[in-house]
Each structure stands twice: as C-alpha cells, then as structure tokens.
Amino acid sequence: MKFGTLRKFLITAALAAVVGVSASATACSIETKRPRARITFELVTGDTTEEYVLDYDLYRNLYPNTVNHFIELAKAGYYDNTVIHDYETGEWYTGVYSYDKDAYSAAISGDSGSVGEYFANHSKESEYLNLFNDGKIKPTVYANTLFKTDKHGDIVYVDKDGKTVSGDTPGASPVRVISKDYAMPSLIGEFKNNVQQTINNGALTATAGSLKMFYYPSNSSDNASKSKVYVTPPKSGIMQADSKYNCATSAFTVQVGASTNSESNYCVFGKVRNQDDLDDLKNAVADYFEDTYGSNSYVVKSSDVAVTVYEPTSGWKPSSGGKCYNARTVEEVFDAPKSAIRIVSVKITKN
C-alpha cells in the first residue's frame, strides 16, 4: 500500500477531537481505574502533513503512580508539539524534545548544525523541572527520609507486625516518614524487578500498541545502580530502592511492533484501543519511508546528547538548604527519523 493511496481521516480526527473535549469536560472530575488518552500524531512529509488519532486505555488500577504522572504532564500540555527523537521500526521514543520544523529539517539535512545540537537546543527539561517545582507533578521518589518521633521527640520503633515497641527490642525498626524537602523530580518504576513490586491483577506485557515509561540509564554498571533512593509503592509503605529503576521523568515509548521486553523490567501503562488506527499510522510511516528513502537508512544518528539523570545527594539535610539531588548526564546517541514524526497533542479524554 502506497502512502498516496492511504485513506485520510482528518474529518474523523476533527470529530473525535470534539468528542474528546466533551468527554474531558464531563468526566475529568472523577478518577477511574482506566482513564483514556488521545494522542494525535503527525507525519511531516515535505510541505504536507497527515494527522493520525489514537486512543489509549491507561491502567491506573495496575500502575497508579505512572498513570497519574502521565496525566499530570498531559493536562499541563507538556507533551504537545514533541517529536519522536529515537526511531526503531517497532518502537518510538518521545516526550523529551519539542518540534521546530525548520530547525529539525536543517539539522537532519546537515544544512545547519548537528542532530545532537538540535536536541540540546530543544530539550524540555527546564519546563519539566518548573512543573515539578511548582507542585504540578506529585513526587514518588525521595533522596532520603525522616524518622517518625513521638511527642517526646524520641524515634518510634515497630516490630515486624507493625506494633510499636521500644528501640532495644530484637528486630525493631525505626519508622520512616517522607518529607517534601527530599522529593526528587523522577518517577517510581512500577514493575516487578523494582523492589519486587506486586502488580495487582497481573502486569501488562509489551505488545504492539503499548505505551511504556522509559528509564535512564539501563546499564547496571552505571553509577545510578549504586545510588539508593526511597520510594512509595502503593500499599507498601516506604521502601529503599535503586536509583536506576526510579529515574523516569517524561520520556515514554510508543510501541508499534512486536517486543521481547519483560513486564518485570518495564512499566507498560497503556494500550491502544483500536489496532486498526495504529496500523494506519505505522503503515503510513513505513510506506512513506520506503518510497522516499528506498533501501537507505530512514534515520540520522545524532552526536552525543546529554540526558539528565537525577541522583540523591549524600549527607543532604533539610536544615542545610538547597536541593536534595544531583543532576548529572549520560551520553546517548539517538536514531532520529529523517522525516519528523510529531506528537501534536496528548489529551486526557476520560479521567
């Protein structure tokens, strides 16, 4: 099927947008176990564009923190006008960089700067941090905790059954409490291998049509694997965990093909509602790339891109002031698509 013969459904998209506004206006005051999101994609083909509208179920009943985080960013308009920054035929990575048509085209063609420079100049990290600092993003990861104290200022201890005991009782543990002073701008990883979480009703597997949160870095030898943070899994209290499993910010992947990823290592928090809509988008991209670039690569490799990872600062105390985390970078090379795939908007149509 050639791109030129694909059925266009801009009218359908416009009608869907009207329905979405109505649903959003009437339903967003009540939280449901399975909210819905509408993602409008745009394939930029020279001087023309084609929009494709996909509806997703978000599984708040399985991944409450991840889904709420995604909804918070979507409602803030954060994901609007972002670009697929790393392209594979079966999986697209997005949610970090804004789209500028002229600058992107110039970088991809080599007429002005490198692809790496484009991403460095169009990072949305500052916007993300502003949302976090303004309280628009609920924290789930903390650099440290405080100890709960009684009215006399003494630390409270409990036994394995949660009963309050004296501190010298064998097996007694101090009770930890979280403090906003230690909040970090990252998201807890809601999957089994992160502090052995139990996903109620069974975790989702990564298949065509999945949405997954993305975590930097994944390399177990990286410094982040040696850093510890405190997280707040649902119904599990406060737990210590590895930074590398709790470092997601805004990046997520749109899976369009088969996958061998295990639900033990990824948070698959959404599924497309209509597989045909996904196939229309996927086929449009595949056909256009094949017709335009033939057997040549469909991507342009970026130079090193600095990706920020947040780690707890050792020895930091609220009384000392300042932030409780370090911002450091890892170097990544992205395979950016030669023809831009833009996310026009992410709207929550059912809350």
Side-chain angles (χ1 to χ4, degrees):
M1 178 171 62
K2 296 298 182 182
F3 177 73
T5 63
L6 285 174
R7 177 173 62 89
K8 310 303 187 296
F9 48 95
L10 294 181
I11 294 178
T12 303
L15 292 174
V18 173
V19 174
V21 170
S22 175
S24 177
T26 59
C28 283
S29 61
I30 302 174
E31 288 191 354
T32 64
K33 292 182 179 179
R34 195 172 298 180
R36 293 178 186 174
R38 172 166 291 137
I39 304 180
T40 301
F41 295 84
E42 180 183 74
L43 173 59
V44 183
T45 58
D47 294 330
T48 64
T49 59
E50 295 296 338
E51 289 190 354
Y52 298 86
V53 178
L54 275 64
D55 288 313
Y56 288 87
D57 283 322
L58 308 179
Y59 288 75
R60 181 187 272 133
N61 58 319
L62 304 182
Y63 313 100
N65 286 317
T66 303
V67 169
N68 287 337
H69 185 81
F70 183 82
I71 288 176
E72 288 166 346
L73 290 173
K75 286 185 175 181
Y78 177 86
Y79 287 126
D80 298 352
N81 192 45
T82 48
V83 68
I84 303 298
H85 65 267
D86 202 4
Y87 174 81
E88 298 176 7
T89 56
E91 194 157 30
W92 305 345
Y93 299 76
T94 189
V96 186
Y97 303 99
S98 61
Y99 177 64
D100 180 311
K101 182 177 181 180
D102 292 337
Y104 189 87
S105 298
I108 291 293
S109 64
D111 291 339
S112 176
S114 69
V115 179
E117 289 173 338
Y118 174 88
F119 291 128
N121 293 331
H122 292 81
S123 170
K124 300 196 70 174
E125 179 181 44
S126 294
E127 182 178 341
Y128 176 87
L129 284 176
N130 287 338
L131 289 172
F132 177 79
N133 291 329
D134 290 343
K136 302 294 180 60
I137 301 175
K138 181 182 177 181
T140 58
V141 181
Y142 299 84
N144 208 334
T145 61
L146 301 176
F147 291 119
K148 182 179 180 180
T149 57
D150 59 22
K151 62 182 180 180
H152 303 294
D154 296 325
I155 295 176
V156 176
Y157 289 83
V158 295
D159 61 17
K160 63 179 181 178
D161 296 321
K163 182 180 178 180
T164 301
V165 296
S166 63
D168 56 3
T169 302
S173 301
V175 177
R176 293 182 178 273
V177 293
I178 58 174
S179 167
K180 65 179 182 180
D181 293 324
Y182 287 116
M184 294 183 63
S186 55
L187 172 68
I188 181 177
E190 292 181 296
F191 47 84
K192 182 178 178 181
N193 284 353
N194 181 27
V195 293
Q196 294 299 306
Q197 293 186 76
T198 299
I199 307 301
N200 294 331
N201 303 317
L204 298 179
T205 56
T207 58
S210 297
L211 297 178
K212 297 185 295 188
M213 288 306 294
F214 192 75
Y215 302 80
Y216 285 112
S218 58
N219 190 336
S220 61
S221 64
D222 192 277
N223 187 50
S225 67
K226 304 172 185 176
S227 300
K228 301 294 182 181
V229 293
Y230 290 89
V231 297
T232 55
K235 302 179 181 179
S236 301
I238 301 170
M239 303 180 72
Q240 191 177 59
D242 292 337
S243 292
K244 68 174 183 175
Y245 290 146
N246 304 278
C247 60
T249 53
S250 61
F252 70 97
T253 70
V254 179
Q255 190 164 317
V256 297
S259 172
T260 57
N261 292 333
S262 168
E263 65 270 22
S264 296
N265 298 305
Y266 292 87
C267 180
V268 182
F269 68 93
K271 292 280 191 177
V272 72
R273 290 179 58 79
N274 189 323
Q275 192 68 36
D276 289 342
D277 291 344
L278 176 67
D279 290 341
D280 282 340
L281 170 61
K282 180 175 64 175
N283 291 336
V285 172
D287 289 346
Y288 181 79
F289 280 15
E290 177 65 25
D291 290 347
T292 305
Y293 306 114
S295 60
N296 296 323
S297 175
Y298 304 154
V299 300
V300 175
K301 284 190 175 295
S302 67
S303 54
D304 286 343
V305 179
V307 176
T308 302
V309 176
Y310 298 97
E311 293 181 326
T313 302
S314 60
W316 193 94
K317 297 180 179 180
S319 60
S320 66
K323 294 182 178 179
C324 58
Y325 56 86
N326 286 321
R328 68 179 188 85
T329 59
V330 292
E331 301 298 325
E332 297 289 334
V333 176
F334 300 136
D335 290 338
K338 289 181 178 178
S339 294
I341 306 171
R342 180 171 81 107
I343 290 185
V344 178
S345 63
V346 178
K347 303 298 181 185
I348 304 305
T349 59
K350 180 179 179 181
N351 197 58

